[in-house]
Amino acid sequence: MSDTPAYRVAPGADISDDATIGDGSSVWHLAQVREGARLGAGCVIGRGAYIGSGVQMGDGCKVQNYALVYEPATLADGVFVGPAAVFTNDHFPRAVNPDLTPKSTSDWEPVGVTCETGASIGARAVCVAPVTIGAWAMVAAGATVVKDVPPHALVAGVPARRLGWVGRSGEKLVPTSDGTDAWVCPTTGEWYIPDDSTGGLLLASSPLADAPRPAALPDDEQDGPAA
């Protein structure tokens, strides 16, 4: 039996012996994966990225260069974290206690960011724990997320606000032409409906030939906001 790991580690990467890395994953130069972290199969950790102690990551996740994922963050399958994005983990960050003694691990309680299946976090976005980024939601580059993001929402700004909805392909959804509250992906034809339990959208069909067609948009709205 070979002792060679079934994942790729570039020179200079720092992986704790107590971390678990799934088959087919890659950890690139200068990245750090701390003790107790668990990465699924087929993950990519970019140059200089940081994966904190005990962070849980599903299959097929991609954490780009210099992103900081602090514990106890949880990422489901297929999550994308863009370059230099930050997941915080402290409600009340201080270097010292009121008496100016250095804070220790017993002086604060870490809180984590949760990313559900397929969610995407843009470059240099900041997710302020504890927040949940819903399934297939998209956080625009440079956004600061301080509230939960519902599934399939497109959010941007400081603080982040919803600008629209996106499908699983990442394309901005458009209203259907039948007068209902459904949305359709102009690329895949997938059809989405409101989900009262999450405040987001839910995949309704994937795809149907007779799905409602997209309603026409004014010329000044064709491109939509950049994510």
Side-chain angles (χ1 to χ4, degrees):
M1 179 179 295
S2 172
D3 292 331
T4 303
Y7 54 86
R8 179 176 182 175
V9 180
D14 180 4
I15 300 177
S16 169
D17 291 339
D18 294 329
T20 301
I21 313 293
D23 290 352
S25 293
S26 298
V27 182
W28 288 98
H29 306 78
L30 305 180
Q32 183 177 14
V33 181
R34 294 283 304 278
E35 60 275 6
R38 181 178 294 272
L39 281 59
C43 292
V44 177
I45 308 301
R47 177 185 176 92
Y50 175 84
I51 308 299
S53 305
V55 167
Q56 302 294 300
M57 192 177 299
D59 297 338
C61 293
K62 190 171 187 178
V63 179
Q64 294 281 65
N65 296 3
Y66 299 103
L68 306 177
V69 181
Y70 289 105
E71 67 279 0
T74 301
L75 285 62
D77 293 345
V79 170
F80 174 89
V81 181
V86 178
F87 289 6
T88 74
N89 69 347
D90 194 346
H91 276 303
F92 311 109
R94 293 290 194 194
V96 296
N97 295 304
D99 61 1
L100 295 182
T101 58
K103 268 196 171 185
S104 67
T105 55
S106 62
D107 292 321
W108 65 291
E109 181 179 357
V111 289
V113 172
T114 299
C115 291
E116 297 180 344
T117 301
S120 292
I121 313 299
R124 291 192 178 276
V126 178
C127 296
V128 181
V131 293
T132 295
I133 313 300
W136 302 104
M138 184 174 291
V139 175
T144 299
V145 180
V146 297
K147 295 182 179 179
D148 290 351
V149 177
H152 293 283
L154 167 62
V155 300
V158 181
R161 292 182 172 86
R162 189 179 69 80
L163 300 183
W165 300 107
V166 291
R168 296 190 300 176
S169 70
E171 291 283 344
K172 187 180 179 184
L173 301 178
V174 295
T176 59
S177 59
D178 62 351
T180 68
D181 54 2
W183 298 79
V184 65
C185 175
T187 299
T188 66
E190 291 181 340
W191 187 25
Y192 297 83
I193 57 175
D195 181 4
D196 292 338
S197 66
T198 64
L201 298 183
L202 180 68
L203 180 66
S205 67
S206 178
L208 288 178
D210 59 349
R213 303 306 304 162
L217 293 177
D219 291 341
D220 61 352
E221 294 182 16
Q222 289 294 329
D223 292 334

